[in-house]
């Protein structure tokens, strides 16, 4: 190539150029951080498991034949260093309304700030003709809330008489309706964090209304679709939030009993009382987008897990 440039000369020129570029880079970092290179960025890896509803939009055909729950359990066993949120068996417990509120009932929480219980309820899986007699024997008062046994459906019905109950689709849970001023409290729990919002709910039913009405009235997704009541001009007896110490005690105890860290409670205050509360539903991994400051709360929660175990976290959003 003319004999003027040799390979050795090219190597020497590249070495000089590389050293010059290295010095420029070092000078830039020194100007920014006052000497030395910046510390490496800490990366937290979060994975998530998909429900069957997401299969068509997210999963490839070759993955559809796998049972995700078994896959997740196997993964947890093979990677004990990974935090799994939350155990599938614990999630299943709150998907079934027969077992959902059992831990609240067993807790029997009562202190200086109030008492928390669950409404009377009955479970029916077959033979709808037996419902009226069972309701009378149990002493359930009308109106009665009817909900699907499995919490994947949020529809509910309000029955005003015993005969209309026979027309409901089984399996279901019948829950005594408690007047609560038409407002419920959604208590979001993210690890140790607790956030509460007010939501409009079913209105109270007077004895006069009860005597004039019959049949079943259906309400699709009341707790999910109800408008926020946080900005409404509410009677203080209705809109006052449950005491913080009571919620903290309840959340701590339920985290332990349920084995869950990501859930919410639908709580009502019995109308005419100041401290009588009822948990009417528990939802796993609810719509946190409706929770105030959810981005910061959720991010802080995931980072706190990583600081405790210094491992990745797998999020199980059933």
């Amino acid at each position: 190539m003319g004999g003027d440039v040799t390979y050795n000369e090219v190597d020497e020129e590249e070495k000089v150029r590389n050293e010059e570029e290295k010095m420029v880079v070092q000078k830039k970092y020194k100007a920014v951080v006052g000497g030395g290179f910046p510390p490496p960025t800490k990366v937290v890896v979060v994975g998530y498991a998909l429900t069957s509803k997401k299969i068509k939009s997210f999963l490839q055909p070759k993955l559809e034949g796998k049972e995700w729950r078994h896959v997740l359990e196997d993964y947890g066993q093979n990677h004990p260093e990974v935090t799994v949120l939350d155990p599938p068996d614990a999630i299943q417990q709150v998907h079934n309304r027969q077992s959902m509120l059992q831990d609240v009932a067993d807790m029997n929480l009562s202190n200086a700030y109030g008492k928390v219980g669950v409404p009377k309820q009955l479970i029916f899986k077959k033979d709808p003709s037996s419902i009226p007699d069972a309701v009378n024997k149990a002493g359930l008062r009308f109106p009665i809330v009817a909900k699907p046994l499995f919490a994947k459906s949020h529809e509910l019905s309000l029955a005003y008489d015993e005969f209309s109950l026979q027309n409901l689709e089984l399996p279901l849970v019948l829950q005594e309706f408690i007047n609560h001023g038409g407002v419920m409290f959604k208590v979001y729990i993210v690890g140790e964090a607790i956030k509460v919002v007010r939501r409009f709910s079913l209105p109270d039913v007077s004895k006069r209304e009860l005597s004039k009405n019959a049949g079943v009235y259906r309400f699709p997704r009341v707790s999910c679709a109800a408008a926020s009541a946080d900005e409404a001009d509410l009677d203080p007896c209705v809109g006052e939030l449950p005491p913080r110490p009571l919620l903290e005690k309840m959340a701590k105890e339920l985290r332990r009993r349920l084995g869950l860290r990501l859930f919410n409670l639908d709580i009502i205050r019995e109308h005419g009382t100041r401290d009588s509360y009822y948990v009417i539903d528990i939802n796993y991994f609810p719509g946190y987008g409706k929770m105030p400051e959810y981005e910061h709360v959720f991010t802080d929660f995931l980072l706190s897990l990583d600081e405790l175990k210094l491992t990745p976290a797998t999020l199980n959003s059933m």
Side-chain angles (χ1 to χ4, degrees):
M1 303 294 291
D4 295 328
V5 180
T6 67
Y7 286 108
N8 288 336
E9 289 173 334
V10 172
D11 290 342
E12 289 299 322
E13 290 178 359
E14 287 182 349
K15 288 181 180 179
V16 172
R17 187 163 56 250
N18 289 340
E19 288 298 321
E20 290 175 346
E21 291 176 351
K22 182 177 179 181
M23 292 176 65
V24 170
V25 171
Q26 287 178 333
K27 287 179 180 179
K28 287 182 178 178
Y29 276 120
K30 287 178 180 178
V32 173
V33 300
F37 289 92
T41 302
K42 181 182 179 181
V43 177
V44 177
V45 179
V46 180
Y48 55 92
L50 301 173
T51 65
S52 57
K53 294 180 181 180
K54 304 294 183 181
I55 288 179
K56 291 184 179 179
S57 57
F58 288 96
L59 296 185
Q60 298 299 317
K62 64 181 180 180
L63 298 177
E64 291 184 14
K66 293 185 177 182
E67 171 53 54
W68 75 266
R69 181 176 172 183
H70 294 157
V71 172
L72 186 63
E73 290 173 344
D74 291 343
Y75 182 85
Q77 291 176 358
N78 294 328
H79 299 275
E81 76 281 4
V82 175
T83 301
V84 178
L85 304 173
D86 278 302
D89 288 341
I91 297 171
Q92 287 299 116
Q93 179 179 345
V94 295
H95 275 180
N96 187 325
R97 288 194 168 96
Q98 185 169 7
S99 55
M100 174 193 291
L101 302 180
Q102 189 58 52
D103 283 303
V104 181
D106 294 342
M107 190 167 55
N108 192 27
L109 176 60
S110 179
N111 60 25
Y113 298 99
K115 56 183 178 180
V116 181
V118 299
K120 291 182 181 179
Q121 64 178 36
L122 294 175
I123 305 296
F124 293 92
K125 299 180 180 179
K126 57 183 179 180
D127 190 15
S129 64
S130 67
I131 295 179
D133 186 52
V135 166
N136 287 328
K137 286 183 178 179
L140 263 69
R141 297 172 299 177
F142 286 92
I144 290 177
V145 179
K147 303 177 182 180
L149 179 59
F150 300 103
K152 291 182 180 180
S153 173
H154 293 275
E155 294 186 0
L156 61 84
S157 302
L158 195 61
Y160 282 85
D161 66 276
E162 60 189 43
F163 301 106
S164 61
L165 293 172
Q166 300 179 74
N167 300 321
L168 295 171
E169 185 178 348
L170 302 181
L172 57 76
V173 55
L174 298 182
Q175 195 175 83
E176 194 169 65
F177 180 77
I178 297 171
N179 283 336
H180 52 281
V183 172
M184 70 173 159
F185 307 100
K186 296 193 80 70
V187 181
Y188 293 93
I189 297 170
V190 184
E192 301 289 330
I194 301 173
K195 293 286 184 179
V196 188
V197 299
R198 301 176 186 87
R199 289 278 190 87
F200 286 114
S201 180
L202 296 180
D204 290 352
V205 178
S206 67
K207 292 182 178 180
R208 184 171 180 272
E209 289 176 297
L210 183 60
S211 64
K212 294 175 61 177
N213 287 285
V216 174
Y217 297 83
R218 299 184 183 278
F219 300 90
R221 301 181 66 83
V222 170
S223 64
C224 298
S228 170
D230 281 331
E231 304 301 324
D233 184 16
L234 299 172
D235 184 331
C237 295
V238 172
E240 182 182 2
L241 295 178
R244 186 77 184 184
L246 184 68
L247 295 179
E248 290 175 348
K249 174 68 175 177
M250 180 166 48
K252 180 180 179 180
E253 186 66 18
L254 285 178
R255 279 196 303 267
R256 183 185 69 82
R257 288 173 175 265
L258 296 173
L260 299 174
R261 285 169 281 189
L262 299 169
F263 60 99
N264 89 321
L265 310 171
D266 289 346
I267 299 178
I268 59 174
R269 178 194 292 112
E270 185 173 7
H271 198 198
T273 73
R274 290 199 60 185
D275 60 357
S276 184
Y277 300 93
Y278 292 87
V279 177
I280 58 174
D281 245 329
I282 299 177
N283 304 291
Y284 180 71
F285 204 84
Y288 282 116
K290 299 175 183 177
M291 181 183 76
E293 303 176 339
Y294 80 95
E295 303 99 327
H296 302 294
V297 173
F298 208 77
T299 301
D300 289 345
F301 168 66
L302 293 175
L303 291 175
S304 69
L305 290 175
D306 187 68
E307 290 173 0
L308 288 174
K309 292 194 66 175
L310 300 178
T311 61
T314 298
L315 179 62
N316 173 13
S317 57
M318 290 185 65

